Amino acid sequence: MPLVRIDAHGTVAGRLDALGRAVHDALVETLGIPSDDRFQVLTGHDGVRGALRYDDYLGVHRDEGIVFVAITLRSGRATGQKQALYRRIAELAEAYAGTAPRNVFVTLTENTSADWSLGHGLAQYVGSGSC
């Protein structure tokens, strides 16, 4: 049960939805997340009500096409799976939204089953083996 937050410059019609699809499809393909397990917060920043800051850290030149993808999910994925996820998100962000792979910045935050409540004030994953 990942929770995805995507922040991007601009609010061009369809771009945020395309980025959301790209991340979701990559999670399904690389980590085996169920296809109906989609929880996303998609935010466009126009420079007035919200802004994104970035530099060319580690020699990666970024520009106004920058996309920040923050994924919170339960721990347990191997490093290779995470690397495959990052690669696939970048590929699909380019294919679906025209976003250059160099502008796709992804972070993963892992936690445990007890850190989730999916409604009704319950910790549904406690004692469960779900994604």
Side-chain angles (χ1 to χ4, degrees), residues 30-31 78-89 108:
T30 62
L31 300 186
T79 298
Q81 288 178 294
K82 294 174 186 179
Q83 291 171 312
L85 174 65
Y86 304 146
R87 191 170 35 256
R88 193 63 178 144
I89 289 172
L108 293 182

Side-chain angles (χ1 to χ4, degrees), residues 4 7 33 48 54 72 75 77-78 91 96 101 117-118 122 131:
V4 175
D7 290 270
I33 300 300
V48 176
Y54 54 89
T72 303
S75 62
R77 276 64 177 205
E91 291 168 355
Y96 295 1
S117 174
L118 309 178
L122 302 173
C131 294

Side-chain angles (χ1 to χ4, degrees), residues 111-127:
N111 58 25
T112 68
S113 295
D115 296 317
W116 295 88
S117 174
L118 309 178
H120 298 292
L122 302 173
Q124 286 88 346
Y125 287 143
V126 173

Side-chain angles (χ1 to χ4, degrees), residues 14 19 24 38-39 53 122 124:
L19 290 167
H24 182 70
R38 181 189 304 229
F39 296 90
R53 302 286 184 250
L122 302 173
Q124 286 88 346

Side-chain angles (χ1 to χ4, degrees), residues 43-117:
T43 306
H45 298 268
D46 62 8
V48 176
R49 290 169 287 180
L52 301 178
R53 302 286 184 250
Y54 54 89
D55 271 316
D56 291 346
Y57 182 65
L58 294 178
V60 179
H61 174 69
R62 297 166 187 88
D63 59 31
E64 66 279 350
I66 189 82
V67 174
F68 292 104
V69 179
I71 303 170
T72 303
L73 72 169
R74 292 188 292 159
S75 62
R77 276 64 177 205
T79 298
Q81 288 178 294
K82 294 174 186 179
Q83 291 171 312
L85 174 65
Y86 304 146
R87 191 170 35 256
R88 193 63 178 144
I89 289 172
E91 291 168 355
L92 293 177
E94 183 174 38
Y96 295 1
T99 300
R102 65 184 166 77
N103 276 325
V104 180
F105 186 104
V106 181
T107 63
L108 293 182
T109 302
E110 296 180 310
N111 58 25
T112 68
S113 295
D115 296 317
W116 295 88
S117 174

Side-chain angles (χ1 to χ4, degrees), residues 3-20:
L3 173 62
V4 175
R5 180 179 176 106
I6 299 173
D7 290 270
H9 272 297
T11 55
V12 176
R15 182 168 187 240
L16 285 172
D17 286 335
L19 290 167

